[in-house]
Amino acid sequence: MPPFDYSPPPYDGPSADEILAKRKTFLSPSLFHLYSKPLNVVDGKMQYLFDENGRRYLDAFGGIATVCCGHCHPDVVDSIVNQIKRIQHSTVLYLNHAIADFAEALASKMPGNLKVVFFTNSGTEANELAIMMARLYTGCNDIISLRNAYHGNAAGTMGATAQSNWKFNVVQTGVHHALNPDPYRGVFGADGEMYAKDVQDLIDFGTSGHVAGFLSESIQGVGGIIELAPGYLPAVYKSIKKAGGLCIADEVQAGFARTGSHFWGFEAHGVVPDIVTMAKGIGNGIPLGAVVTTPEIAEVLTRRNYFNTFGGNPVCTAAGHAVLKVIQKDKLQNNAHVVGSYLKERLTALKDKYGIIGDVRGRGFLLGVEFVTDRQLKTPAKAETLYIMDKMKEMGVLVGKGGFYGNVFRITPPLCFTKEDADYLVDVMDYSLSKM
């Protein structure tokens, strides 16, 4: 593992077994954990995590694409500490410069007339608000999202989510799910315009001809790091606009420079949405989300009272503002592009070496490696994926897992990940695959 000049202070808290026992007794049974032997993370610094014994791990998951600047980045920590010493929480009913300063800075990163910000606590909340705003603005109820999408777990967002793994049997109305423009498993390969015809069909044959909006990620995260087929979004946006709808970009995972080539994932497709939602990387781990839209669309929330108790509180917005500054100061977008491209090249070379790797995809530090037992049939290698994950953890490398079949590595490290880190990750994966 690459050298790193940091040693965590000694840990004298409860053991992993004790924590696991408390989780089973006092926390929701819906909680699950990675690895056959759960990891007790007690410390973090930049792209590394440390367990209860002080062992260092290379974090290639980033708290599920959330830690963008690095764990406990000093600039972000200082902004949080300095703010919390002054005022932790008041209410947006009073004035405070933190929320206004961050909103201004965030709006400066947006294209077009996207300059009005609503702060929330999570991506689910942000997407719920965006869906409601689209329905209010258009006077229509129908939302179109993609199969294999994940947008959250509340009432509206669960409806927009389209994987049975994440959907409970409760009422979910007004959402139509279009064919997923998946270049690897999709019926039309990488032909984005062919997939886009399905959206027009849904408008023509599943709605009144008018819709509230279209919601999509630019790269599906939970769905297995699926890049939308080229040409898809411009064609779909055209159909949605013609039907009077709004285009909503879910940037919860792809935003904040993670893709490297662009600050926002949708920019790679040459489109400008009407509403953009974001969370995760916005606060480097602080609970924070946002919806950014135009002044005209924003007006719909003045029809009644809209309020969010914690959305935009001083501590969270101070952290978010610090994140934007760090991304620029540390040149993290360029690092995500350069090192992420290098990492993808090395992973692609592994695909040529091992038949179990069916696909390598994504961009920047939003990368996916799909494992299959048969390349022709694309049979998901679910058990093998878990085996490789455990082997890599034993050697000090942590990756995520996703995709409908649970057979895709989600590689979403902090944006400070180095070329040496990339080499170590791939070398460990290479060794683990060789021992299967």
Side-chain angles (χ1 to χ4, degrees), residues 31-51:
L31 290 181
F32 55 89
H33 55 76
L34 295 176
Y35 306 112
S36 54
K37 184 178 180 182
L39 183 66
N40 181 19
V41 175
V42 303
D43 207 308
K45 196 71 171 176
M46 302 309 285
Q47 66 270 42
Y48 295 103
L49 293 172
F50 299 84
D51 69 11

Side-chain angles (χ1 to χ4, degrees), residues 153 158 164 166-172:
N153 55 15
M158 190 180 293
S164 58
W166 299 98
K167 292 169 77 73
F168 288 95
N169 187 24
V170 295
V171 175
Q172 300 164 43

Side-chain angles (χ1 to χ4, degrees), residues 183-230:
Y184 181 62
R185 291 184 175 271
V187 292
F188 299 122
D191 190 339
E193 293 189 3
M194 285 297 293
Y195 293 105
K197 291 179 180 179
D198 184 55
V199 172
Q200 187 60 55
D201 282 348
L202 283 175
I203 294 170
D204 292 340
F205 301 105
T207 75
S208 65
H210 299 282
V211 298
F214 171 79
L215 171 64
S216 78
E217 304 157 89
S218 52
I219 299 178
Q220 292 178 337
V222 173
I225 318 296
I226 306 295
E227 290 189 89
L228 308 188

Side-chain angles (χ1 to χ4, degrees), residues 1 12 42 50 61 120 141 163 165 207 225 248 299 389 402:
M1 188 179 295
D12 59 1
V42 303
F50 299 84
F61 198 23
T120 66
N141 188 59
Q163 291 188 49
N165 306 345
T207 75
I225 318 296
I248 307 169
E299 280 289 324
M389 279 187 74

Side-chain angles (χ1 to χ4, degrees), residues 288-401:
L288 181 61
V291 177
V292 185
T293 189
T294 66
E296 183 183 18
I297 295 169
E299 280 289 324
V300 299
L301 291 187
T302 64
R303 298 176 187 173
R304 296 290 188 277
N305 291 328
Y306 173 78
F307 185 77
N308 188 314
T309 298
F310 298 110
N313 82 79
V315 174
C316 290
T317 48
H321 199 178
V323 166
L324 284 183
K325 293 175 181 177
V326 168
I327 290 173
Q328 182 173 354
K329 185 188 80 170
D330 293 357
K331 298 179 172 60
L332 295 183
Q333 182 175 338
N334 182 67
N335 190 66
H337 177 59
V338 173
V339 179
S341 298
Y342 172 76
L343 175 56
K344 187 178 180 180
E345 287 176 7
R346 286 220 54 195
L347 291 169
T348 301
L350 278 191
K351 178 187 171 188
D352 297 334
K353 186 175 180 180
Y354 297 102
I356 193 172
I357 298 179
D359 194 28
V360 174
R361 52 184 179 252
R363 60 172 65 205
F365 285 141
L366 190 55
L367 300 176
V369 179
E370 180 157 355
F371 297 101
V372 295
T373 56
D374 185 306
R375 279 190 174 177
Q376 292 298 113
L377 299 176
K378 300 178 182 176
T379 310
K382 292 183 276 189
E384 293 83 350
T385 302
L386 291 173
Y387 173 85
I388 301 165
M389 279 187 74
D390 267 322
K391 285 297 179 185
M392 291 180 66
K393 177 211 167 193
E394 290 174 10
M395 298 181 68
V397 176
L398 308 177
V399 296
K401 179 175 69 72

Side-chain angles (χ1 to χ4, degrees), residues 7 47 64 91 97 103 127 141 145 162 278 308 346 367 390 403 422:
S7 295
Q47 66 270 42
I64 316 180
T91 166
H97 74 91
N127 283 328
N141 188 59
S145 66
M278 57 198 73
N308 188 314
R346 286 220 54 195
L367 300 176
D390 267 322

